[in-house]
Amino acid sequence: MDAVTPLLPDAPDRPGEGAADRLPPRHIGPHPRHAPGVWQEWLAGRTVPAVSAADIVTPARRLVVVAPHPDDELLACGLLLQAHLQQGGRVYIVGVTDGEASHAGDPGWPASALATTRRAERRSGLRALRLQSAPLLRLGLPDGGVAAHEAALSRTLREMLRADDVVVSTWRLDGHPDHEACGRAAADAARAAGATLWEAPVWMWHWADPSHAEIPWHRLRTLRAAPGVTRGQAAARKATALACHLSQLAPRAGGDGPVLDDAIRQRARWPFETFLAPAPASASV
């Protein structure tokens, strides 16, 4: 991992339960604060440390991805999954919910039918990444209600994790309550198991601003392409996998746009992925 100048002056991660209170409102509804192109320009103008897949997870270690909803494994780390597979690594995916609440109130999508559809979409997406044989643990926790089951989720993760695992979860302050609950549970379980945790900001890019010094920008890393695979090829494969999630790409009832709006689809096509590197043991974000 390259040693470079941090994005912002290093402020220590602050311990305590009130980390979320120090951040601005984490609103992820229909219009992002900044367009994806603005973020790309901002990232290009900073010296963000670039890492390879092996810097995050060596081939000998298992990559465990905690995905709050079907498609989050792609949005969080679709490029990393490809790279780890290419380097001969093992992948284990934890599907926390079936995503049955993404069209709540839409008579055309009752929850049970949507859950079935989204499970099938996940299988198709993983097949597009050539991960159809990767173990998938489906927990079936309620979509939108993971926080109420956070302790149980943490126990489940602790029981399955090993000290040499590398865990990728959504960030603990990502903006979606399920993403945040999964992030907290993954952090707790990884700490207890002695595993390594990397966190992926997914919805953060919708509400964040570069001026938000409370965001641990100094932990930000970008994943570069794997050897022998162009960034364009890997990004195109990730886009193909995301296109399998048709239920999330179609407009919803009542005039609402698709769950995966244009901004998040553009971010998913970035030829790199962003992660927050492991935090100090005392940190809460």
Side-chain angles (χ1 to χ4, degrees), residues 191-276:
R191 184 166 49 247
T196 302
L197 176 70
W198 288 72
E199 298 175 83
V202 174
W203 285 109
M204 182 198 80
W205 302 107
H206 234 65
W207 57 261
D209 185 87
S211 67
H212 292 157
E214 297 87 350
I215 296 174
W217 297 116
H218 59 284
R219 289 173 48 206
L220 193 66
R221 305 289 185 269
T222 57
L223 174 71
R224 57 180 179 256
V229 176
T230 70
R231 291 185 297 176
Q233 288 173 330
R237 194 172 293 148
K238 176 177 173 177
T240 298
L242 194 62
C244 295
H245 293 262
L246 295 175
S247 68
Q248 307 303 291
L249 298 170
R252 291 171 286 175
D256 290 336
V259 175
L260 298 179
D261 63 14
D262 185 61
I264 199 166
R265 293 198 303 273
Q266 286 185 49
R267 294 195 297 265
R269 292 195 292 271
W270 284 350
F272 58 88
E273 285 177 336
T274 57
F275 297 93
L276 294 172

Side-chain angles (χ1 to χ4, degrees), residues 69 97-105 111 114-115 118 142-144 178 252 259:
H69 313 100
T97 81
D98 290 332
E100 71 278 2
S102 67
H103 290 58
L114 184 55
R118 297 202 67 187
D143 184 9
D178 287 348
R252 291 171 286 175
V259 175

Side-chain angles (χ1 to χ4, degrees), residues 65-74 93-99 115-129 131-132 136-140 241 244-245:
V65 179
V66 181
H69 313 100
D71 73 22
D72 279 326
E73 63 272 14
L74 305 177
I93 297 170
V94 180
V96 179
T97 81
D98 290 332
T116 299
T117 295
R118 297 202 67 187
R119 289 195 294 269
E121 290 172 347
R122 165 175 267 154
R123 289 192 295 271
S124 296
L126 291 175
R127 192 177 305 115
L129 289 190
L131 284 166
Q132 63 270 20
L136 169 63
L137 175 63
R138 187 173 64 84
L139 299 181
C244 295
H245 293 262

Side-chain angles (χ1 to χ4, degrees), residues 6 9 14 18 26 62 75 85 92 105 154 196 210 217 226 235 240 242-243 263 268 275:
R14 305 176 217 172
R26 301 187 299 287
R62 183 175 65 162
L75 295 171
L85 182 68
Y92 194 105
S154 180
T196 302
W217 297 116
T240 298
L242 194 62
F275 297 93

